[in-house]
Amino acid sequence: MTTRTALVTGGSRGIGREICIQLAAQGALVAVHYAGDDAAARQTVELIEAAGGSAFPIRARFGEEGDVDTVITALEEGLRERTGTAHLDVLVNNAAINDSAGGIDGETPEAFDRLFAVNVRAPFFLIQRALPLMGAGGRVINIGSGVTRIALPGELAYAMTKAAMATLTRNVANDLGARGITINTVAPGPTRTERMAAFLDHPQAQAAIAGNQAIERVGTPADIAAVVAFLATDAAGWLTANVLDATGGTYLGPKRMG
């Protein structure tokens, strides 16, 4: 991937940061999108550069007017400055929020609308705007969630947004395939990110999660990023329209009978 370019949304921390690092390690020039934490984004870029890679930051808060325009304008400028063209090879739609106010009884219109604005509307139109920059061999990789197949309390609206991304993936695959571009969704399960750390640090929580996993441990950002990095390569050129379950086998059913 030494001649490739990538845009990773939500790349300043957690799974997004690790995706940026792994793509850069393969040689890609990575545009690190982030919402507002300048220090975290700067640290991601510095980690990449310290390892001999190349990256630059793009700041834009999804869910606000002109969000996608801001990203695409900064992306084109950054790519031209560093490569001479605004060609994009890999788009990773990772940025998302999980601000559900509850299930069907507790959700509010405001929280619901914001979830869909950030988790569905922004990546939908980012794909639309990024496609003119992509050519044959391009990759669109969406980050979904294992909650689309698991009913978890309080996750309803969030799960709906991730199901929408899986539907988007399958529905546009034919159009993109005709251009030599693949599109897939990676669905993580319980993953040790900064947001989840406080919960996962409790031994009981770790034991409960591991007990419901085929692979008996909590996932890491590196686990998810490795799947994304593979999908970005030429070796994954025959995979499209898929939702790749990257949960470690979460909630597959009873492990032993009797």
Side-chain angles (χ1 to χ4, degrees), residues 117-143:
V118 175
N119 295 6
V120 181
R121 185 181 187 276
F124 181 101
F125 287 103
L126 192 57
I127 293 172
Q128 182 191 76
R129 292 289 306 280
L131 284 176
L133 308 180
M134 305 182 81
R139 301 284 187 265
V140 178
I141 304 165
N142 299 317
I143 304 302

Side-chain angles (χ1 to χ4, degrees), residues 2 24 27 34-35 43 52 65 98 100-101 119 134-136 142 153 156 172 179-180 204-205 235 237 239 249 258:
T2 53
Y34 68 107
Q43 185 177 22
E65 188 68 28
N98 186 2
S100 293
N119 295 6
M134 305 182 81
N142 299 317
L156 175 57
V172 302
R179 297 179 47 184
Q204 289 180 331
L239 296 176

Side-chain angles (χ1 to χ4, degrees), residues 144-176:
S145 176
V147 299
T148 57
R149 66 170 175 83
I150 303 164
L152 293 180
E155 298 280 337
L156 175 57
Y158 174 75
M160 290 171 66
T161 67
K162 292 303 184 179
M165 292 306 296
T167 300
L168 168 65
T169 296
R170 179 166 295 277
N171 274 268
V172 302
N174 279 340
D175 292 337
L176 300 192

Side-chain angles (χ1 to χ4, degrees), residues 24-105:
Q26 292 185 357
L29 167 62
V30 181
V32 180
H33 161 267
Y34 68 107
D37 191 334
D38 294 324
R42 185 165 56 250
Q43 185 177 22
T44 299
V45 172
E46 289 172 351
L47 287 169
I48 289 170
E49 292 178 342
S54 299
F56 63 95
I58 294 176
R59 176 172 177 162
R61 189 175 299 277
F62 287 144
E64 298 181 354
E65 188 68 28
D67 50 3
V68 171
D69 290 339
T70 299
V71 173
I72 293 297
T73 298
L75 174 67
E76 291 178 327
E77 291 176 353
L79 292 178
R80 285 197 183 97
E81 178 183 337
R82 292 163 177 83
T83 70
T85 70
H87 180 79
L88 179 68
D89 295 292
V90 181
L91 169 61
V92 182
N93 282 308
N94 168 72
I97 58 173
N98 186 2
D99 294 337
S100 293
I104 192 67
D105 295 327

